[in-house]
Amino acid sequence: MNILGISAYYHDSAAALIRDGQILAAVQEERFTRKKHDARFPINGIEYCLNTAQIDLKQLDYIVFYEKPLITFERLLETYIAYAPQGFRSFIAAMSVWLQEKLYLKTVLKKQLAKLGNCKTKDLPPLLFAEHHQSHAASAFFPSPFQNAAVLCLDAVGEWATTSLWLGEGNQLTPIWEIDFPHSLGMLYSAFTYYTGFRVNSGEYKLMGLAPYGEPKYVDVILNNLLDLKSDGTFRLNMDYFNYATGLTMTNSKFDRLLGSPPRKPESKITQREMDIAASIQKVTEEVVLRLSRTARKDTGSDNLCLAGGVALNCVANGRILREGEFKDIWIQPAAGDAGGALGAALATWYQYLDNPRQVSGSDAMQGSYLGPHFKDEEIRQYLDDVRANYQHLDDEQLMPQLAEILAEGNVVGWFQGRMEFGPRALGGRSIIGDPRNVKMQSVMNLKIKYRESFRPFAPSVLAERVSDYFAIDRASPYMLLVAPVQKELHLPMTEEQQQLFGIEKLNVPRSQIPAITHVDYSARIQTVHPKTNPRYYELIRQFEAKTGCGILVNTSFNVRGEPIVCTPEDAYRCFMRTEMDYLVLENYLLAKSEQPQWQKDESWKQEFELD
């Protein structure tokens, strides 16, 4: 039985296909269209899923959309009525979109699917609709390694729910409780993302990365004015300070007065004040999540926790749950945002709607999240020959030691191999990699390759069996969703003068023997690499360890600022040629920048993404 899940029309549209409960393919539409966070109908993603399964659309048994649009419309109407006459301009703008398209989403979807399947709408497979948070919960629990778990979903908003708790048992999910719109932890964090000058639904990672440079001076201001937080983690927002329920911005003038100024203009200088605000909202978010997790443990009685929803991508908060919470183990859906809803909708259909049995093997079912396209040797060679690239073709026995040497010499390498990752993190399929011992690596990667803010931290990819040698964590973290401290014996002592530094001045002080992946608070966002799920990346790190004694590589996503992660060999070569990367690996093809033909420079792409 083949079930296709779809998420679309908000942000990060995606498609996922399962066969008899097994995940065959999952991918975000942005990777094909090259439009970051593309929300359009995922025609390319669906075609990829069908091609992977070697079926056509009419051979699907069910197609499932990840939320129920009519309930969302009900929420919008009730919200605007509750706040009337405020938000009239926003109401008119929203209604025009809904009355033209979203209210008739079932019809729109059927037309798009019929066009894709070259058939009439009456010949389509049955079209089902899951609930938004049900899709999140299903994406978190059903692929998890647990037979029984508390499932906590935290995001901006679904139909009504913004936070929900479920009990997962076998093949069923039982809802326990929820917090409804407009009271939303995701919206609160996004409001501060907006206020500090970053783009909502995109810049939340930046806010999290900025937090360690600041002091949490505004925690009391937030808790005394913006958020009524209870001991069990439940909360209510003071909507007098927010504009997102009915307006065209996240915050309002009262919010500005509370914090002392208007929002930072995008691309303007980041000051110590923004760093302190980031530190403050991060600390508040962690406290809310930690309290909610303890309540989830109490209300479900389960020793295991699964997480999904956009807030579950806050890996600092996740690390605190692991260290300070009451669960024996936690598992986080690597595509925790709306893209993962496509997978969750399909899994909810297989297990809950169709009541199929679920087998747990002790490891998760996400296959390392390597669920996207891969490219054959001859496809890559054809493209490289077409652009007259100079390359070597090496088998792994030659390539891996040579690449370890290249990395040890301080070079930055584009690494493209295997299936593309599903979710926002590059996990060794579409990565840019470097030497973590190199004190200049972070600034070189940020400023000369990623073209992004210098403060943004990088993650370590570490051999799974060596993780505790470098970091204070005792378990796998394959999806880069847990932050843990660097082991103290690796710390470098700071001078008295260095200890007095504030804010961004801290950036240039090496913190440990692996400075390129050690954040200013001595933490790191960890990816453990396993031979079962990514044997070639594992072997590369092993060869690097044999060469240097260090079982870690710096790993960041293979893209430049404002672009999605690369999907094809063409995307990878283009990114390689217009940045200051030194080498490129496309499967078994090794390319040196110095040996490539002159690239026709086009800098217009930089301006296009300046405001990301």
Side-chain angles (χ1 to χ4, degrees), residues 120-384:
K120 295 181 179 179
T121 56
K122 67 181 179 64
D123 297 323
L124 287 170
L127 178 60
L128 305 177
F129 291 81
E131 291 185 358
H132 188 101
H133 269 232
Q134 178 191 18
S135 295
H136 275 319
S139 78
F141 177 62
F142 292 131
S144 80
F146 310 134
Q147 184 68 29
N148 173 290
V151 184
L152 197 54
C153 302
L154 308 108
D155 67 357
V157 61
E159 291 88 0
W160 275 104
T162 66
T163 303
S164 62
L165 177 66
W166 307 68
L167 175 62
E169 294 179 295
N171 69 345
Q172 291 299 311
L173 280 162
T174 304
I176 307 297
W177 50 255
E178 68 180 49
I179 298 172
D180 287 344
F181 187 84
H183 308 290
S184 165
L185 185 59
M187 286 293 196
L188 176 66
Y189 203 85
S190 290
F192 278 87
T193 302
Y194 164 83
Y195 184 75
T196 49
F198 302 120
R199 185 180 289 182
V200 173
N201 291 330
S202 174
E204 284 78 5
Y205 303 132
K206 300 180 185 181
L207 194 66
M208 184 175 67
L210 192 61
Y213 294 96
E215 300 294 327
K217 297 179 178 178
Y218 296 89
V219 168
D220 288 343
V221 172
I222 296 169
L223 292 176
N224 291 336
N225 297 276
L226 303 180
L227 183 71
D228 179 15
L229 176 62
K230 304 301 183 185
S231 60
D232 63 359
T234 57
F235 57 87
R236 290 181 67 83
L237 301 187
N238 184 345
M239 295 306 296
D240 291 346
Y241 293 91
F242 300 96
N243 206 28
Y244 62 77
T246 56
L248 301 174
T249 59
M250 294 298 296
T251 59
N252 59 26
S253 58
K254 189 171 181 179
F255 189 103
D256 299 347
R257 289 193 297 273
L258 179 68
L259 291 180
S261 74
R264 181 182 78 94
K265 291 183 178 178
E267 302 303 307
S268 63
K269 183 181 178 183
I270 296 171
T271 68
Q272 186 63 46
R273 181 171 174 276
E274 279 78 45
M275 298 174 202
D276 293 342
I277 289 171
S280 303
I281 188 58
Q282 178 63 33
K283 185 170 182 178
V284 169
T285 299
E286 290 171 28
E287 186 59 33
V288 175
V289 171
L290 197 58
R291 291 188 191 185
L292 285 171
S293 72
R294 288 172 178 153
T295 299
R297 173 73 177 85
K298 178 173 169 286
D299 288 355
T300 63
S302 179
D303 289 332
N304 304 308
L305 175 67
C306 296
L307 293 171
V311 178
L313 294 170
N314 194 307
C315 47
V316 182
N318 297 342
R320 283 197 65 189
I321 294 174
L322 187 61
R323 292 191 302 275
E324 303 171 41
E326 299 175 9
F327 290 95
K328 289 182 180 177
D329 206 357
I330 69 173
W331 189 85
I332 306 141
Q333 166 55 239
D338 277 9
L343 177 60
L347 291 168
T349 302
W350 174 254
Y351 289 114
Q352 294 185 271
Y353 183 74
L354 299 172
D355 197 28
N356 284 299
R358 173 172 172 262
Q359 302 296 324
V360 176
S361 66
S363 59
D364 74 67
M366 287 296 293
Q367 303 157 49
S369 213
Y370 306 112
L371 299 167
H374 72 283
F375 295 85
K376 296 176 182 176
D377 189 275
E378 54 268 28
E379 293 178 278
I380 297 170
R381 183 186 292 270
Q382 182 65 58
Y383 171 74
L384 292 177

Side-chain angles (χ1 to χ4, degrees), residues 13 22 28 39 49 96 116 123-124 137 145 203 316 321 358 368 373 376 387 395 406 433 477 489 539 544 547 611:
S13 68
Q22 301 298 309
Q28 294 115 290
C49 288
S96 64
L116 180 61
D123 297 323
L124 287 170
V316 182
I321 294 174
R358 173 172 172 262
K376 296 176 182 176
V387 296
D395 59 31
I406 287 168
I433 55 178
S477 176
E489 57 265 30
E539 177 60 20
F544 183 76
K547 174 74 182 172
L611 295 181

Side-chain angles (χ1 to χ4, degrees), residues 575-593:
C575 185
F576 168 62
M577 289 302 294
R578 69 188 194 194
T579 64
E580 296 181 48
M581 249 179 281
D582 302 298
Y583 288 85
L584 172 64
V585 176
L586 298 171
E587 295 294 350
N588 287 90
Y589 293 90
L590 175 64
L591 297 85
K593 175 67 68 61

Side-chain angles (χ1 to χ4, degrees), residues 71 130 164 178 249 402 460 552 600:
I71 303 177
S164 62
E178 68 180 49
T249 59
Q402 188 170 333
I552 299 174
Q600 187 64 43

